């Protein structure tokens, strides 16, 4: 049995590599597809990350400079429990002025296996998000500096 399927595209040339594509994205869609394992997800007009709490970060931007993806590793002290320090991996996806932010955070005294899991989830989400802006990210090395003896700045938990 032979199938004969005719389309209206027969005889047309293939699309040009520079053909613009349009996709409708929402913060909810980004959160559900890229940040489904995050501890907390929210939107905003600006970053919730305080510069003085950042340990490491990597940023990818599109050619226009208007859209970006940023993975931040930060630490901050808990406002309510004085002796508790939180470690947080935050993924910021900025499309235009809208930011969708996911956090994978845990207490500093958590077991190493939990640290590895949280870091891997955030890094995987970053790699996938880079595709949105036409960039490719690969796993790499982070250089960790010795931890300061003083507590990180106080901040609220997301």
């Amino acid at each position: 049995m032979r199938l004969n399927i005719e389309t209206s595209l027969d005889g047309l040339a293939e699309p040009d590599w520079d053909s613009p594509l349009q996709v409708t994205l929402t913060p909810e869609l980004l959160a559900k597809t890229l940040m489904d394992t995050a501890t907390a997800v929210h939107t905003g007009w600006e970053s919730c990350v305080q510069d003085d709490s950042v340990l490491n970060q990597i940023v990818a931007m599109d050619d226009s400079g208007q859209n970006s993806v940023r993975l931040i590793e930060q630490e901050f002290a808990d406002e309510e429990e004085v002796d508790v320090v939180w470690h947080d991996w935050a993924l910021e996806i900025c499309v235009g002025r809208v930011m969708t932010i996911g956090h994978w955070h845990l207490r500093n005294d958590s077991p190493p296996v939990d640290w590895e899991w949280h870091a891997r989830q955030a890094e995987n989400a970053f790699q996938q998000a880079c595709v949105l802006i036409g960039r490719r990210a690969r796993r790499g090395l982070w250089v960790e500096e010795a931890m300061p003896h003083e507590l990180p700045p106080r901040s609220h938990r997301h």
Side-chain angles (χ1 to χ4, degrees):
M1 178 178 193
R2 185 172 169 218
L3 294 175
N4 187 6
I5 301 173
E6 291 186 36
T7 66
S8 62
L9 299 177
D10 290 342
L12 293 179
E14 292 181 5
D16 183 40
W17 282 108
D18 294 322
S19 298
L21 303 175
Q22 292 184 327
V23 177
T24 301
L25 293 175
T26 64
E28 180 181 19
L29 183 62
L30 293 175
K32 285 182 177 179
T33 58
L34 298 174
M35 304 172 185
D36 63 325
T37 61
T39 311
V41 179
H42 60 95
T43 59
W45 300 114
E46 58 186 29
S47 178
C48 63
V49 175
Q50 296 176 356
D51 290 338
D52 55 351
S53 65
V54 173
L55 301 174
N56 294 307
Q57 67 177 322
I58 183 168
V59 178
M61 297 188 83
D62 70 355
D63 291 337
S64 72
Q66 295 177 359
N67 306 305
S68 64
V69 178
R70 181 167 82 142
L71 178 61
I72 306 111
E73 194 173 354
Q74 64 179 337
E75 285 192 348
F76 51 86
D78 194 305
E79 289 180 335
E80 297 172 9
E81 298 179 59
V82 179
D83 297 335
V84 175
V85 176
W86 290 91
H87 195 90
D88 179 63
W89 293 264
L91 174 63
E92 294 179 345
I93 301 172
C94 183
V95 179
R97 289 191 52 234
V98 178
M99 284 193 150
T100 307
I101 305 141
H103 295 272
W104 289 262
H105 55 258
L106 47 70
R107 290 170 62 127
N108 238 5
D109 57 359
S110 296
V113 68
D114 291 342
W115 278 67
E116 289 298 319
W117 185 87
H118 282 74
R120 191 171 46 254
Q121 295 297 308
E123 288 171 10
N124 288 341
F126 175 78
Q127 287 176 305
Q128 294 169 359
C130 283
V131 173
L132 295 171
I133 59 168
R135 299 293 185 249
R136 181 177 23 189
R138 291 179 280 193
R139 287 189 64 103
L141 298 174
W142 291 77
V143 177
E144 295 184 12
E145 296 183 19
M147 295 303 298
H149 294 288
E150 61 190 53
L151 287 176
R154 298 238 176 257
S155 180
H156 65 284
R157 209 174 118 192
H158 295 285

